[in-house]
Amino acid sequence: MTATLVPPATAQAHRDPNVLRWLGAYTASMLGDSVYYLALSWAAVQAGTPAQAGLVMSASAVPRAVLMLGGGVIADRLGPRRVVIGSDAVRCGAVLAVALLLFLTSPGLWPLALLAVVFGAVDAVFMPAVGALPARITGKDQLARVQGMRGLAIRCAGVVGAPLGGLGVALGGAPAAFALAGALIAVSVPLLVSVRVRDLPGDGTPRAARTPWSDLGEGLRYVRRHPVLGPLMLAIALGDLGFVGPLNVGLTLLADRRGWGASGMGWVLAGFGAGAGAASLLLAVRGRLPRAGLVAGCAVIAGSVAIGTLAHVPALPAAVGTAAVVGLLTGLSGAMCGALLQTQADPAYLGRVTSVSSLVSLGLTPLSMPFAAAAIGAWGLGPVFAVSAAVCGLGGIVALAVPGLRRAELPG
């Protein structure tokens, strides 16, 4: 599939039909993902024990982490548009096949586990390609706005996807929910086919003489030696390591020990989502914030303070407000980091650069969750939240301490 050459984008991203087609495809794909995860968890719980269901739900993590760096190489060698289209087509076909199998028979857990593994493997190529695609559909000066629009799509998928999946389960059980997920992912494919992309410098470089392994090594060396991307990866790793445990594990235990229950935890998560959505909306509307590196570092440090505070908030309304602050600051820093990755990386390396950041954020940091749970059981909520906040804050200190990253700007 050959890239269609288009002139440099001049329209603002939120008014560009080409970008809006990409955004529609991405939103449909994320909605399908949200429905899929709910359907998978429901079907796994119905077919096996809670422990077995947990294994099924985590089965995608290993192939995603192991293959993520290779996915970046594939995105750079084949082109991100082609990879994203192929990834969504494979995911759609796999989900619909399982929906049909569950409709016709009761095969147990094995098809669910296989589907989870397939999703994890496909995610490993999908995520780097998604990260490399925006630079080919809009100008550099619009990439921060695109990051904001992408963040809004993720929040929308999170809010709407779960009720849609629940409706599918209520109407027709897991087969109907899987079919709905497949249909939503299918919507993204023709939209992606209609998206026009530009060739960027380096896209036409012959790669036949280079092996994928040499491409991977070259990409890792490029990130390590880059004056902005190298320290930015370290800042992202520290920020996410300090953030993932408290939000995903600590919040559940906090709600339980405070007596807020599941509904209270839902309100706290809603506060976080509202704050993160506000940060995405800010970027989507403004399009650019000056002194991006400085803003990202300060936002990470302020967010780490809010994370540490969350463990000591006694009342639910205050916890919701604190979570909104956490969401606003982490959403802002995350969008700034994503925009800097897009604009600082050489286009020829975008897939591999994105794969490194995705591996750190989505492949390795979730492994901290069982350690966070064990630490909370041993030492309590306060100390673990404090340590997590300190680790997160170190990410902001790295961003502020490295001159190249602190002074990094987004294109105007």
Side-chain angles (χ1 to χ4, degrees):
M1 190 175 297
T2 303
T4 303
L5 291 176
V6 298
T10 57
Q12 292 182 331
H14 62 292
R15 296 176 179 173
D16 186 343
N18 196 48
V19 175
L20 294 178
R21 285 194 295 272
W22 166 83
L23 183 65
Y26 184 73
T27 304
S29 182
M30 292 298 98
L31 277 171
D33 276 3
S34 294
V35 174
Y36 154 77
Y37 283 113
L38 188 144
L40 182 68
S41 62
W42 178 265
V45 168
Q46 296 298 309
T49 66
Q52 291 172 330
L55 289 174
V56 169
M57 292 301 297
S58 62
S60 61
V62 173
R64 183 188 298 121
V66 170
L67 301 176
M68 185 72 74
L69 294 178
V73 174
I74 293 173
D76 283 336
R77 289 176 73 93
L78 302 182
R81 177 173 175 266
R82 183 183 303 177
V83 173
V84 171
I85 292 172
S87 299
D88 272 352
V90 170
R91 293 195 301 165
C92 174
V95 172
L96 291 178
V98 169
L100 179 62
L101 184 64
L102 293 179
F103 180 77
L104 296 176
T105 184
S106 299
L109 286 170
W110 71 264
L112 302 178
L114 179 61
L115 178 62
V117 170
V118 169
F119 248 71
V122 174
D123 276 349
V125 295
F126 175 81
M127 291 174 181
V130 164
L133 192 55
R136 291 168 168 81
I137 62 175
T138 191
K140 273 195 171 185
D141 61 323
Q142 295 297 310
L143 286 174
R145 177 172 275 124
V146 169
Q147 288 295 317
M149 296 164 66
R150 182 180 175 185
L152 287 174
I154 293 172
R155 299 303 159 196
C156 174
V159 171
V160 178
L164 274 179
L167 179 63
V169 169
L171 293 178
F178 277 122
L180 176 59
L184 287 168
I185 297 173
V187 170
S188 71
V189 176
L191 287 172
L192 287 168
V193 170
S194 70
V195 171
R196 299 170 298 158
V197 297
R198 300 194 305 277
D199 282 335
L200 296 177
D203 280 352
T205 303
R207 296 182 180 272
R210 300 207 305 264
T211 66
W213 281 111
S214 65
D215 276 356
L216 176 58
E218 184 184 2
L220 293 176
R221 287 191 296 272
Y222 173 77
V223 171
R224 179 169 54 85
R225 295 170 180 171
H226 197 283
V228 174
L229 297 178
L232 183 58
M233 293 299 179
L234 178 58
I236 291 173
L238 291 169
D240 285 349
L241 278 171
F243 169 76
V244 169
L247 187 70
N248 289 279
V249 177
L251 184 58
T252 303
L253 297 174
L254 180 66
D256 179 64
R257 296 187 182 185
R258 292 285 191 275
W260 298 337
S263 63
M265 186 179 72
W267 278 108
V268 176
L269 287 174
F272 170 82
S280 297
L281 182 61
L282 173 66
L283 276 179
V285 171
R286 287 186 58 89
R288 177 182 181 273
L289 293 178
R291 309 195 71 176
L294 180 64
V295 169
C298 292
V300 170
I301 291 175
S304 69
V305 175
I307 289 172
T309 303
L310 192 58
H312 303 283
V313 175
L316 179 58
V320 173
T322 304
V325 173
V326 173
L328 176 65
L329 294 169
T330 57
L332 181 61
S333 62
M336 288 290 97
C337 291
L340 285 172
L341 286 175
Q342 292 278 325
T343 54
Q344 294 287 328
D346 185 292
Y349 292 92
L350 262 176
R352 282 164 286 180
V353 170
T354 306
S355 72
V356 174
S357 65
S358 298
L359 176 64
V360 167
S361 297
L362 302 172
L364 299 180
T365 51
L367 299 178
S368 68
M369 290 191 287
F371 295 102
I376 290 173
W379 296 297
L381 287 163
V384 173
F385 268 71
V387 171
S388 296
V391 172
C392 184
L394 283 176
I397 292 174
V398 168
L400 297 180
V402 178
L405 179 52
R406 183 180 68 249
R407 297 168 185 161
E409 291 276 8
L410 298 176

